[in-house]
Amino acid sequence: VLARAAGGIAQADAGRRGEAQARFEDLARDRFAIFHRDCEWLLGMAIASEVCAMLGDLRAAEILYEELVPFAGFHAVGQAEGSVGAMDRYLGLLAEVLGRGDDAISHFEEADRLNQRMGARPWTLRSQVDLARVLRHRNQAADQERAGGLERSVRTGATELGMVALLAQLEREAGVEPPAREA
């Protein structure tokens, strides 16, 4: 099930929205009952939340948010699969889909703090990209400056870690096409 959920991210990221939507609807059936309440449930629901956010599925976001809010402050990990960082990031993505900008900011700030505390640098950078995006959309007095500082920090960190996909996402969200990569 985790591989099917992760495949939805890959399909959405590759622009194959119809395929990602079909896969996601299969996962979302019966309030995400396909994810058994076992040691991998939280990881699966985190991955499903990312697909949900990529597709902007409001109905599913409401369900996922309701299911996951008790896990704020937790770390989503699968014994053999790995980690996807702080659950607060996924709550932030869902809050963003639901139009709850201030809640999204709070969740992303907490995800940033928790991921930093865990030393989970790649997940910290992802949380900062998400936070910068929501700040830019909220557009209050100091939001643009704060978002710019986060984006500069992410560029530095992502470059150091070789996170080219995150750099490309950052540029897309800033409305700038990323430079062509050399073959």
Side-chain angles (χ1 to χ4, degrees):
V1 177
L2 293 175
R4 288 180 15 208
I9 293 173
Q11 289 170 323
D13 199 39
R16 297 180 359 227
R17 187 175 175 84
E19 293 173 50
Q21 186 67 46
R23 183 180 297 242
F24 182 71
E25 287 172 6
D26 182 48
L27 296 172
R29 191 170 298 120
D30 298 323
R31 296 181 60 91
F32 298 90
I34 196 167
F35 294 103
H36 301 286
R37 295 248 179 189
D38 60 13
C39 63
E40 294 182 340
W41 179 81
L42 196 56
L43 178 64
M45 294 293 275
I47 294 169
S49 296
E50 183 131 10
V51 179
C52 179
M54 293 172 90
L55 297 172
D57 189 319
L58 181 63
R59 179 191 55 79
E62 290 172 344
I63 294 167
L64 287 164
Y65 192 89
E66 176 186 315
E67 289 285 327
L68 295 176
V69 77
F71 297 93
F74 283 71
H75 181 195
V77 64
Q79 186 65 19
E81 292 77 12
S83 165
V84 292
M87 284 305 300
D88 297 77
R89 175 174 181 259
Y90 303 95
L91 289 166
L93 292 171
L94 296 168
E96 185 179 7
V97 171
L98 294 169
R100 300 180 194 161
D102 290 340
D103 289 341
I105 289 169
S106 293
H107 286 302
F108 290 139
E109 288 172 337
E110 184 64 6
D112 181 34
R113 188 184 70 71
L114 290 168
N115 286 324
Q116 283 187 44
R117 193 174 81 203
M118 288 187 292
R121 194 164 177 216
W123 296 112
T124 298
L125 296 172
R126 289 184 180 281
S127 298
Q128 290 173 348
V129 166
D130 298 328
L131 177 56
R133 179 184 57 251
V134 177
L135 287 169
R136 288 217 182 272
H137 289 174
R138 185 175 70 172
N139 200 24
Q140 289 184 357
D143 287 349
Q144 298 303 312
E145 184 177 330
R146 184 172 176 211
L150 286 165
E151 291 162 349
R152 285 187 295 281
S153 175
V154 169
R155 275 188 195 90
T156 300
T159 300
E160 290 171 0
L161 295 178
M163 297 177 70
V164 294
L166 187 62
L167 288 166
Q169 175 188 346
L170 185 63
E171 297 307 317
R172 277 192 311 274
E173 290 178 5
V176 177
E177 286 300 313
R181 290 182 51 201
E182 292 182 27

